[in-house]
Amino acid sequence: MSALKIERGASSHSAYDLRDYHAAGEERHTLSVIVDNEAGVLARVIGLFSGRGYNIDSLTVAEVDHTGHTSRITVVTRGTPAVIEQIKAQLSRIIPVHEVHDLTVEGASVERELGLFKVVGSGEKRVEALRISDIFRANVVDSTLESFVFEITGAPEKLDAFADLMRPLGLAEVARTGVAALARGH
Amino acid sequence: MSRSMTGARMVVEALRDQGVDTVFGYPGGAVLPIYDEIFQQNDIKHILVRHEQGAVHMAEGYARSTGKPGVVLVTSGPGATNAVTGLTDALMDSIPLVVLTGQVPTFMIGTDGFQEADTVGITRPCTKHNWLVNDTDSLAETIHRAFHVATAGRPGPVLIDIPKDVQFATGTYLGPKQIAPSRYQPARKGDADAITRLVELIETAERPVFYTGGGVINSGPAASQLLTELVDATGFPVTSTLMGLGAYPASGKSWLGMLGMHGLYEANMAMHGCDLMINLGARFDDRITGRVADFSPGSIKAHVDIDPSSINKVIPVELPILGDVGHVLEDLLKIWKARGRKTSPALQQWWAQIEQWRARDCLAYKPSDKLIKPQHALERLEALTAGRDRYITTEVGQHQMWAAQFLHFEGPNRWMTSGGLGTMGYGLPASIGVQVAHPEALVINVAGDASWLMNMQEMGTAVQFRAPVKQFILNNERLGMVRQWQQLLHGERYSQSWSESLPDFVKLAEAFGCKGRQVHDPADLDDAIREMIDSDVPFILDVLVEKHENCFPMIPSGKPHNEMLLGDEIAADDIGSAIKSDGAVLV
């Protein structure tokens, strides 16, 4: 509920202050959703996005509090400001949802993603791949004479950049976890 | 004190503890243990339906006419899938229902067992929440929670899927007071600053309008009283959506009639021209707004709603107030009175303008002494039932809109119609649900011939349970609204919109063991309506009406409020070009 601008908006906005809810520009928002860890809860969240035509750029979910039986779902989504507000409101009314936080607007946050990149090649390309992986502080987690699997953790843009560089060097397979995110400070 | 019992007995025990007096259902393999328990008690009445969709609509009729949640019990597989339309209907119209479905035993789930369906998966998007109960110990708690979720906040249907082994096994029963309070507690009080701001706007508005919806009805009868007090005290005009009819009495001096696609000219023009729109428990549905970009361009909009997702979903508003309409109205009245009950003197001019619109007499139609006009039939029904505490249900289509235009509602919970989903086949079962809840009341289903046939099997239920529902069928041998749209939009090519082999409704009534009558001469209409009203058994009145009557006024799809089509303005030659192609893609 705390992510909903309308909850306090009633008193904090002037009655005549109307922001343009139908602005054309799409924004990328990272939403952090605390839910009861119960059967079907992920299906409810995903079903909301597919059923109402919202975008999911990435989604991660895992139990974060075993005794409290709650999970954190991190969704990266895209939409106009009106759509983003609507997504948050719709998420908030799912019964097993405890909290919805919009990390993109609620102050600073940190986002991390883990990726595994398999690069196949030999000779100079193989050496170059290893050299670049060092620059990116990637770990080599598997190696054969013709391949590496690099593990890299960072902001999604860093993983994108790494993939772009590895492509001409024999990038064969990619696995990415999607974004996990938390607000900074406390 | 906790007690040990089977899951099946827990179901009955929990329903009794929740104050349930009636269950609408249909037995089957996966709910036999529960039916065995129902057999062995007398506190809860079971209404045996003829199709599970009927059970859900009956429960909706029960819920809407009593304010209490409706309860449904059906079996697994087809029992559950047949309930889906009713669930979706209840979700769209915010009707509290608790639906219990049987399921194959837990150890068979996922094996494609006989009459197995993924009921929680199928019903997830058409319930407010649903549960699959895996062990008997959590069954009672789940049922109590289900009643809370169905009725708290914005009401809606919930479903509990109960595998057969869970019904047979023994567990510990917990009463409603023995379980931990639910985390789900939607705020009911509105923000005091925001309400004060609304009072300020009310004090200075020159052209205000109240736009009320089903939320006022759902908030309870007190909300309707508060609304009436506020409207009468301010002298502001009030209009309502289809869902909200009856919240403000139609005989009240500030009543404009229904708004929207087939709403009244004066109501829509007031919405278009107002400077302050006060939305109380309505949701800016597309039937209401018409073209969003041109919706009420000059107004400040306040929106009171208990569901945060309704606010700014379609129409951005300047002043949102989250809360229960009844609570907000109470605070609003208090503050407005304390500040001196101020309104603008310009209100008089606004009413003068509205009276000009009203003088346009938008519901006028060409009378006939040879054929029964559907509007005339409803005017006579209104005249002959006025003053009685009357419950009306409808099917979906032209007859529904005419009923909303020509019947007048003096109080809440007297008007049951499928608004959001537009479910043909709703009215007959809903009327039975209403009659079961109010055995002595006059309950009339205003129907079209096509809609009525969709759940006509429920006449068997009406007869078996001696529910003397009156079926008022406006029979034009057409799918009237489809035919109207084909005339307006599709070059008068009437594709599949007529009924060539309708049953003889009088014989059908006799076949079901009740009474029927057909009327085609306007001179006989009053007598026929009186016979229907006076019948103490279910009655089908087959009113043969003008076959090609169109329902006006109408905001064509894709048009704003101030571009309504009025019935007497449209020459027969123009009717095919009344709607432009950009509006044709909309429904």
Side-chain angles (χ1 to χ4, degrees):
Chain A
M1 291 297 282
S2 52
L4 293 177
K5 287 183 181 148
I6 53 172
E7 196 184 26
R8 298 302 309 164
S11 51
S12 63
H13 288 218
S14 154
Y16 302 91
D17 167 31
L18 175 60
R19 75 190 178 99
D20 186 3
Y21 262 93
H22 295 282
E26 289 204 341
E27 299 171 357
R28 174 188 181 277
H29 283 242
T30 303
L31 307 181
S32 191
V33 188
I34 302 293
V35 299
D36 283 325
N37 184 16
E38 62 175 36
V41 66
L42 184 59
R44 287 180 208 284
V45 170
I46 292 174
L48 170 66
F49 277 79
S50 63
R52 293 185 184 264
Y54 307 140
N55 299 307
I56 297 180
D57 280 7
S58 87
L59 182 141
T60 66
V61 56
E63 188 174 71
V64 290
D65 178 0
H66 189 64
T67 49
H69 228 59
T70 54
S71 296
R72 183 186 296 274
I73 298 176
T74 308
V75 196
V76 181
T77 185
R78 204 171 283 282
T80 61
V83 167
I84 299 288
E85 287 302 309
Q86 186 59 206
I87 290 172
K88 290 187 277 184
Q90 292 289 351
L91 282 170
S92 300
R93 71 181 194 148
I94 296 176
I95 304 293
V97 167
H98 293 223
E99 297 167 40
V100 178
H101 293 286
D102 185 345
L103 297 179
T104 305
V105 298
E106 290 175 22
S109 64
V110 54
E111 291 190 3
R112 286 294 179 269
E113 185 177 4
L114 185 144
L116 297 172
F117 299 81
K118 184 179 283 178
V119 181
V120 179
S122 56
E124 190 50 39
K125 283 188 174 174
R126 177 173 162 82
V127 176
E128 184 61 18
L130 194 60
R131 202 176 291 140
I132 290 171
S133 77
D134 196 40
I135 296 167
F136 275 76
R137 292 187 207 135
N139 295 320
V140 177
V141 292
D142 178 68
S143 175
T144 67
L145 292 175
E146 272 112 34
S147 71
F148 290 117
V149 174
F150 297 112
E151 174 208 316
I152 187 166
T153 304
E157 299 74 31
K158 178 176 168 181
L159 274 67
D160 292 343
F162 187 72
D164 288 345
L165 289 171
M166 286 298 144
R167 205 160 284 121
L169 301 177
L171 184 65
E173 283 185 83
V174 180
R176 293 173 67 156
T177 59
V179 171
L182 282 180
R184 287 183 190 271
H186 59 86
Chain B
M1 190 188 71
S2 56
R3 289 165 293 157
S4 185
M5 63 181 78
T6 65
R9 176 156 294 184
M10 273 184 198
V11 170
V12 173
E13 199 70 24
L15 294 181
R16 196 186 284 130
D17 279 352
Q18 289 292 339
V20 173
D21 53 25
T22 309
V23 170
F24 301 91
Y26 201 98
V31 280
L32 284 175
I34 299 173
Y35 271 88
D36 202 26
E37 291 296 334
I38 283 180
F39 186 83
Q40 300 175 51
Q41 56 83 49
N42 288 313
D43 297 339
I44 297 169
K45 186 178 182 183
H46 181 276
I47 304 294
L48 174 69
V49 301
R50 300 299 183 266
H51 184 285
E52 290 87 350
Q53 185 190 352
V56 186
H57 294 324
M58 282 180 212
E60 287 187 271
Y62 177 96
R64 290 181 68 167
S65 64
T66 61
K68 298 196 292 183
V71 180
V72 173
L73 173 61
V74 295
T75 194
S76 64
T81 55
N82 279 345
V84 164
T85 299
L87 287 167
T88 311
D89 190 89
L91 186 72
M92 290 287 267
D93 285 349
S94 308
I95 310 303
L97 298 182
V98 176
V99 177
L100 308 166
T101 54
Q103 182 55 279
V104 300
T106 49
F107 52 85
M108 279 183 71
I109 289 176
T111 65
D112 298 324
F114 177 64
Q115 292 196 327
E116 180 183 356
D118 175 10
T119 300
V120 287
I122 290 167
T123 61
R124 204 174 280 130
C126 61
T127 53
K128 187 174 171 188
H129 193 61
N130 62 14
W131 296 262
L132 170 64
V133 180
N134 280 313
D135 69 301
T136 308
D137 277 330
S138 59
L139 179 57
E141 179 178 350
T142 305
I143 295 173
H144 298 315
R145 292 220 182 284
F147 275 87
H148 173 72
V149 170
T151 52
R154 180 174 177 179
V158 300
L159 181 142
I160 310 170
D161 202 22
I162 313 172
K164 199 172 181 183
D165 56 334
V166 173
Q167 299 169 35
F168 273 124
T170 300
T172 304
Y173 178 78
L174 296 174
K177 295 201 170 69
Q178 290 172 287
I179 63 170
S182 173
R183 198 180 45 75
Y184 178 68
Q185 303 291 351
R188 308 188 67 186
K189 295 279 281 182
D191 182 290
D193 294 348
I195 295 172
T196 306
R197 177 148 304 127
L198 179 52
V199 170
E200 288 165 14
L201 292 169
I202 285 173
E203 288 169 346
T204 54
E206 298 186 342
R207 301 185 311 280
V209 66
F210 284 110
Y211 151 46
T212 66
V216 185
I217 312 279
N218 274 336
S219 179
S224 294
Q225 281 177 11
L226 289 162
L227 171 71
T228 306
E229 188 185 343
L230 179 65
V231 169
D232 289 346
T234 55
F236 287 6
V238 55
T239 179
S240 167
T241 66
L242 184 72
M243 295 297 298
L245 295 177
Y248 180 83
S251 60
K253 64 180 169 53
S254 298
W255 177 238
L256 300 181
M258 182 178 76
L259 81 160
M261 183 175 271
H262 293 287
L264 273 70
Y265 182 68
E266 50 269 38
N268 285 328
M269 292 302 283
M271 288 286 281
H272 191 81
C274 66
D275 68 347
L276 173 64
M277 179 185 298
I278 306 166
N279 173 344
L280 301 171
R283 61 182 176 89
F284 296 109
D285 178 86
D286 58 79
R287 301 295 93 165
I288 298 305
T289 59
R291 185 160 67 210
V292 167
D294 295 317
F295 176 72
S296 192
S299 63
I300 291 173
K301 297 170 188 74
H303 185 182
V304 181
D305 206 299
I306 201 159
D307 176 4
S309 75
S310 283
I311 290 171
N312 291 328
K313 181 172 69 179
V314 179
I315 300 291
V317 297
E318 288 81 354
L319 181 56
I321 301 176
L322 260 185
D324 178 87
V325 170
H327 283 78
V328 172
L329 281 172
E330 196 179 351
D331 293 344
L332 182 66
L333 261 165
K334 246 183 243 162
I335 298 170
W336 179 71
K337 285 177 185 168
R339 287 169 54 109
R341 298 167 168 261
K342 285 184 286 239
T343 54
S344 163
L347 214 52
Q348 225 173 347
Q349 280 164 275
W350 179 225
W351 270 111
Q353 168 69 74
I354 289 171
E355 290 307 332
Q356 281 180 19
W357 288 324
R358 209 201 294 268
R360 188 65 190 72
D361 191 15
C362 67
L363 295 181
Y365 61 94
K366 208 186 256 175
S368 164
D369 54 7
K370 293 190 181 64
L371 286 167
I372 299 176
K373 290 283 190 160
Q375 301 96 322
H376 176 65
L378 285 160
E379 282 180 328
R380 293 317 301 156
L381 182 68
E382 171 66 23
L384 295 170
T385 59
R388 295 187 58 162
D389 190 15
R390 171 198 72 182
Y391 294 79
I392 301 286
T393 67
T394 77
E395 307 287 342
V396 169
Q398 285 182 321
H399 68 274
Q400 179 190 28
M401 293 297 107
W402 281 316
Q405 293 171 343
F406 287 92
L407 301 182
H408 302 312
F409 298 92
E410 294 300 314
N413 306 104
R414 298 297 186 275
W415 164 249
M416 277 58 55
T417 191
S418 172
L421 194 64
T423 308
M424 293 170 74
Y426 170 90
L428 165 54
S431 70
I432 298 170
V434 174
Q435 189 82 73
V436 166
H438 310 274
E440 306 302 323
L442 173 61
V443 182
I444 302 167
N445 175 33
V446 176
D449 50 287
S451 278
W452 194 84
L453 290 177
M454 280 204 179
N455 270 323
M456 68 165 187
Q457 76 284 348
E458 300 305 333
M459 279 313 280
T461 308
V463 172
Q464 179 173 346
F465 293 91
R466 296 187 174 82
V469 289
K470 319 297 191 272
Q471 305 301 316
F472 190 71
I473 302 177
L474 299 174
N475 183 349
N476 59 4
E477 300 172 21
R478 300 286 183 280
L479 282 66
M481 192 62 93
V482 172
R483 192 209 57 77
Q484 176 169 343
W485 279 58
Q486 287 171 336
Q487 184 179 14
L488 292 169
L489 281 170
H490 293 277
E492 303 182 52
R493 292 179 295 280
Y494 299 120
S495 181
Q496 307 300 318
S497 57
W498 76 97
S499 314
E500 202 149 74
S501 52
L502 282 173
D504 178 327
F505 287 100
V506 178
K507 282 186 183 157
L508 195 61
E510 286 163 8
F512 273 113
C514 57
K515 285 189 195 159
R517 174 170 172 178
Q518 187 181 71
V519 58
H520 59 85
D521 186 340
D524 300 332
L525 183 60
D526 278 16
D527 186 58
I529 291 174
R530 280 198 196 93
E531 186 184 348
M532 175 187 82
I533 294 168
D534 292 339
S535 173
D536 51 10
V537 296
F539 195 99
I540 301 175
L541 182 57
D542 181 18
V543 187
L544 302 185
V545 296
E546 155 74 74
K547 297 185 201 321
H548 301 110
E549 191 72 13
N550 282 323
C551 184
F552 289 117
M554 179 180 184
I555 302 175
S557 37
K559 293 282 176 113
H561 281 175
N562 59 345
E563 293 180 36
M564 288 196 92
L565 296 178
L566 290 158
D568 51 359
E569 258 179 5
I570 303 174
D573 309 343
D574 300 339
I575 210 154
S577 57
I579 296 181
K580 303 284 176 279
S581 57
D582 56 342
V585 298
L586 304 168
V587 288

